[in-house]
Amino acid sequence: MSSSSDFQQDRHSFSGSPQKWTDFELPGDTLYYRFTSDMSNTEWGYKFTVTAGHLGRFQTGFEILKQMLSEERVVPHLPLAKIWEWQVGVACRQTGHQRLKAIHLLLKIVQCSTQRDCDLTLLKPLWQLFTHMENNLCHDVTKPGILLPLHRALAELFFVTENRVTELGSLQEYLLALNTEDHLHRCTAQ
């Protein structure tokens, strides 16, 4: 296998049992491969999987998207609605620093988007996480009110998002979309 048709660049050769095969990366967007049999046996052959990009390289995707969202001339050409949907999903699934980075990108998208770009109702799972953190902070009076990085990041995201939807005149719809019916009933009762 190689990144060039003459098999001179980035060449990887394998022979024998599957244990002798190892994962490797090739630069570029094309893979050239050639199978040659020595006819020593008549088994099925070999199977390999090719994956484009850097599977599992969260940091690479984060840096690229962060840079694209920072370029004012690029933002109008981005499919912000789709990127928003993906990033909300990433923020919901990831943990630790990766979740913080996903929230950072959501914040950048909110700041450079229009109302139609982002389905803000997708934030509901993150809103539930945030309100759960808020409730735990309020109920634990034995510990000083130190906010964890995730709590601070979510607080900033929802603060900026609320200001943005207020500017766009859709605050009521946004707040109704984030809250559960049960929560709205409790608030009404209070």
Side-chain angles (χ1 to χ4, degrees), residues 80-133:
L80 286 181
K82 200 56 151 165
I83 294 171
W84 173 261
E85 185 180 329
W86 293 332
Q87 280 307 119
V88 171
V90 168
C92 290
R93 286 187 307 274
Q94 294 297 332
T95 59
H97 290 295
Q98 291 181 342
R99 178 178 271 171
L100 288 173
K101 289 178 178 182
I103 291 169
H104 173 78
L105 292 176
L106 289 173
L107 188 57
K108 284 184 110 18
I109 294 169
V110 165
Q111 291 170 329
C112 66
S113 69
T114 64
Q115 184 177 5
R116 62 175 173 70
D117 289 332
C118 303
D119 179 359
L120 297 175
T121 63
L122 295 175
L123 289 175
K124 193 170 195 168
L126 293 174
W127 176 254
Q128 290 169 342
L129 174 63
F130 176 68
T131 55
H132 177 73
M133 294 175 95

Side-chain angles (χ1 to χ4, degrees), residues 9 68 75 120 132-133 156 159 165 168:
Q9 296 175 348
M68 290 171 64
V75 171
L120 297 175
H132 177 73
M133 294 175 95
E156 184 177 6
F159 177 74
V165 295
L168 298 170

